[in-house]
């Protein structure tokens, strides 16, 4: 049985045939306009006229004007074709550069991979529309080159693993810098190219002022990392290791830091508004002048943490361990401190008006007297009835 002949070739020639017919019609129209145009528009003035008369000059002027108009339109069309060819040529150049950068990233030599990262970053600067593709490639590169962190649901392996590095290799650090540069992230489609570096060992990474918004860093090891003034809004840092990390002035608005390890981390002046720190380890962390308004810190470990001057208005500190914490001049107005451990905590000058300390453990009269309670402060009955506390409340209320 014979196969029916394919009509693909005819379909391929169809656009060219249509274009040729259109050009033929346009050309015919131009000739006709130059020949009969004057009579169509000013025929009543041209009856019996010859080229030596004023009417003849009118015909010549009309044809000259039409010719100039057509030449102008032709120039516009030529410019459009030039622009189109330039775009196609530039796109081809960008594609070639992209392919060469990918080849470099797959090299076994460090300096070649490093050059590939820089080449991709340069491509993004020259062609911002490639930022999303470059991000996807660099995320895969970092995930492939950085060591894995063990997931909580994984059983410990009996195999002896090589010691993990204290800081990322040069090519990985370059990729992290390129991925989190604000100028590049501005052009990235964050839905199509999420910054997912979860469960990767990135200890000691340098990310000063980095744009890490919406990043997925769950279970990542960022111990000792430098994140000064980094933008971590709504980043997922659940179970991440940020011990000894430097987060001075970092923006962690609505960040998810549940069960994260922030022990000995530096977070002075960090913005943790509405951040979730439930169950986080903040022992000996520095949170001086941090803004933690409406932060969820329930059950967190804050032993020995420095919170002097911190803003904890409406913060949820239910069940938090604040033993030996420094809360001098902290603002704890409307905070929930029920079941929190305040043994040996320093509350000197702390504002605790409207705060709920009714079930605080190890709260002493001396701590309340050193603080700034109000009549609306909820205190344990044995503390609230103490004459020294009553006198201190009167004193604070009288200062209004």
């Amino acid at each position: 049985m014979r196969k029916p002949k394919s009509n693909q070739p005819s379909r391929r020639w169809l656009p060219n045939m249509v274009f040729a017919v259109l050009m033929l019609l346009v050309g015919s129209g131009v000739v006709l306009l130059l020949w009969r145009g004057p009579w169509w528009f000013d025929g009543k003035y041209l009856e019996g006229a010859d080229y030596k008369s004023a009417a003849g000059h009118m015909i010549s002027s009309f044809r000259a004007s039409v010719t100039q108009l057509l030449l102008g339109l032709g120039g516009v069309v030529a410019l459009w074709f030039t622009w189109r060819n330039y775009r196609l040529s530039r796109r081809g150049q960008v594609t070639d550069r992209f392919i060469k950068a990918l080849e470099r990233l797959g090299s076994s030599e460090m300096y070649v991979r490093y050059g590939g990262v820089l080449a991709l970053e340069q491509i993004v600067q020259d062609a911002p529309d490639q930022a999303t593709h470059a991000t996807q490639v660099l995320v895969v590169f970092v995930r492939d080159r950085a060591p894995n962190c063990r997931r909580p649901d994984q059983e410990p392996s009996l195999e002896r693993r090589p010691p993990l590095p204290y800081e990322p290799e040069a090519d990985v650090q370059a990729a992290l810098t390129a991925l989190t540069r604000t100028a590049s992230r501005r052009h990235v489609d964050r839905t199509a190219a999420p910054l997912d570096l979860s469960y990767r060992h990135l200890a000691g990474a340098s990310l000063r002022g980095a744009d890490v918004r919406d990043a997925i860093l769950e279970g990542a090891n960022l111990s000792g990392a430098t994140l000064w003034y980094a933008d971590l809004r709504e980043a997922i840092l659940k179970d991440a290791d940020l011990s000894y990390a430097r987060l001075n002035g970092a923006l962690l608005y609505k960040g998810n830091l549940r069960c994260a390890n922030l022990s000995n981390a530096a977070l002075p002046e960090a913005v943790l508004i509405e951040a979730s720190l439930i169950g986080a380890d903040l022992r000996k962390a520095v949170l001086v002048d941090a803004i933690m308004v409406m932060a969820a810190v329930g059950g967190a470990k804050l032993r020995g943490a420095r919170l002097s001057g911190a803003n904890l208005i409406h913060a949820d500190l239910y069940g938090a361990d604040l033993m030996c914490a420094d809360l001098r001049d902290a603002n704890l107005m409307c905070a929930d401190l029920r079941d929190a451990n305040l043994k040996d905590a320093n509350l000197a000058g702390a504002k605790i008006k409207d705060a709920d300390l009714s079930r605080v453990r190890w709260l002493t009269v001396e701590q309340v007297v050193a603080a700034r309670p109000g009549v609306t402060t909820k205190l344990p009955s044995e503390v609230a009835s103490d004459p020294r506390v009553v006198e201190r409340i009167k004193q604070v209320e009288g200062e209004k």
Side-chain angles (χ1 to χ4, degrees):
M1 183 178 178
R2 292 182 179 179
K3 294 183 180 179
K5 293 183 179 180
S6 173
N7 59 355
Q8 290 298 323
S10 60
R11 289 183 181 178
R12 193 177 302 153
W13 283 100
L14 185 60
N16 294 332
M17 292 177 61
V18 172
F19 180 76
V21 171
L22 286 175
M23 292 303 296
L24 183 62
L25 290 175
V26 170
S28 302
V30 169
V31 173
L32 194 60
L33 182 64
L34 290 172
W35 176 38
R36 298 300 303 171
W39 280 271
W40 289 342
F41 293 97
D42 295 302
K44 60 182 179 179
Y45 302 110
L46 300 176
E47 292 296 334
D50 57 49
Y51 286 102
K52 295 182 180 179
S53 63
H57 289 296
M58 183 184 298
I59 294 171
S60 300
S61 299
F62 177 85
R63 289 174 176 172
S65 300
V66 171
T67 302
Q68 291 174 358
L69 176 62
L70 292 173
L71 287 173
L73 290 174
V76 171
V77 172
L79 285 173
W80 182 82
F81 274 105
T82 303
W83 171 78
R84 182 173 176 272
N85 291 334
Y86 167 75
R87 282 197 63 189
L88 292 174
S89 174
R90 187 169 179 271
R91 186 179 297 174
Q93 291 174 0
V94 170
T95 302
D96 291 340
R97 289 168 62 189
F98 209 98
I99 293 171
K100 290 178 181 177
L102 292 178
E103 291 173 352
R104 291 181 182 179
L105 291 177
S107 172
S108 58
E109 299 290 339
M110 166 69 75
Y111 71 93
V112 178
R113 295 195 301 271
Y114 191 93
V117 172
L118 297 182
L120 269 182
E121 190 172 14
Q122 187 62 50
I123 289 170
V124 171
Q125 292 177 10
D126 297 340
D129 57 315
Q130 297 297 317
T132 300
H133 300 307
T135 297
Q136 291 170 333
V137 170
L138 288 175
V139 166
V140 173
F141 176 77
V142 173
R143 293 191 66 84
D144 180 63
R145 297 293 307 171
N148 295 335
C149 297
R150 187 172 65 84
R151 294 174 180 267
D153 55 352
Q154 286 181 335
E155 294 183 4
S157 175
L158 297 176
E159 277 185 38
R160 188 172 182 180
R161 296 181 62 184
L164 295 173
Y166 291 106
E167 60 182 19
E169 294 184 354
D171 55 347
V172 174
Q173 178 59 65
L176 289 172
T177 302
L179 280 169
T180 58
R181 200 182 297 280
T182 303
S184 301
R185 292 279 288 168
R186 190 180 299 118
H187 305 288
V188 176
D189 183 347
R190 296 169 191 262
T191 304
L195 187 55
D196 185 356
L197 299 174
S198 55
Y199 298 100
R200 286 298 177 273
H201 182 83
L202 302 168
S206 179
L207 296 166
R208 296 186 185 187
D211 184 352
V212 204
R213 284 175 292 166
D214 309 313
I216 305 170
L217 293 162
E218 181 178 354
N221 188 339
L222 288 158
S223 58
T226 301
L227 290 152
W228 289 355
Y229 301 100
D231 189 347
L232 288 148
R233 282 177 288 175
E234 300 187 28
I236 299 174
L237 289 153
K238 181 183 176 184
D239 296 315
D241 185 354
L242 288 154
S243 57
Y244 295 95
R246 294 180 287 276
L247 290 145
N248 306 51
L251 183 55
L252 286 149
Y253 172 73
K254 286 190 175 181
N256 184 348
L257 293 132
R258 286 172 175 258
C259 302
N261 182 3
L262 288 150
S263 58
N264 296 285
L267 295 110
E269 300 180 357
V271 179
L272 290 147
I273 298 172
E274 295 185 43
S276 177
L277 291 151
I278 297 171
D281 186 350
L282 288 148
R283 287 175 294 181
K284 296 185 179 180
V286 179
L287 291 150
V288 176
D289 295 323
I291 303 173
M292 302 175 70
V293 176
M294 298 179 70
V297 202
K301 303 180 184 77
L302 288 148
R303 285 196 178 195
R306 293 166 56 188
L307 291 147
S308 56
N311 188 342
L312 289 148
I313 294 177
H314 286 287
D316 181 5
L317 290 152
Y318 185 93
D321 185 359
L322 288 152
M323 183 177 177
C324 300
D326 182 2
L327 288 156
R328 288 174 298 165
D329 299 314
N331 192 341
L332 289 156
M333 293 176 65
C334 304
D336 184 359
L337 287 142
R338 290 174 298 165
D339 290 331
N341 181 3
L342 285 171
K343 185 177 182 180
D344 297 325
N346 190 344
L347 293 171
K351 301 178 183 68
I352 55 174
K353 185 180 179 181
D354 295 316
D356 191 347
L357 292 87
S358 57
R359 297 202 326 247
V360 168
R361 292 173 287 159
W362 304 102
L363 182 67
T364 65
V365 171
E366 289 75 13
Q367 286 175 312
V368 177
V369 170
R372 296 182 60 79
V375 292
T376 53
T377 303
K378 296 178 182 178
L379 298 166
S381 56
E382 65 276 11
V383 175
S385 59
D386 190 281
R388 289 171 294 174
V389 172
V390 174
E391 184 60 30
R392 178 56 174 163
I393 291 174
K394 288 181 180 179
Q395 181 184 356
V396 172
E397 293 290 340
E399 291 175 0
K400 294 179 180 178

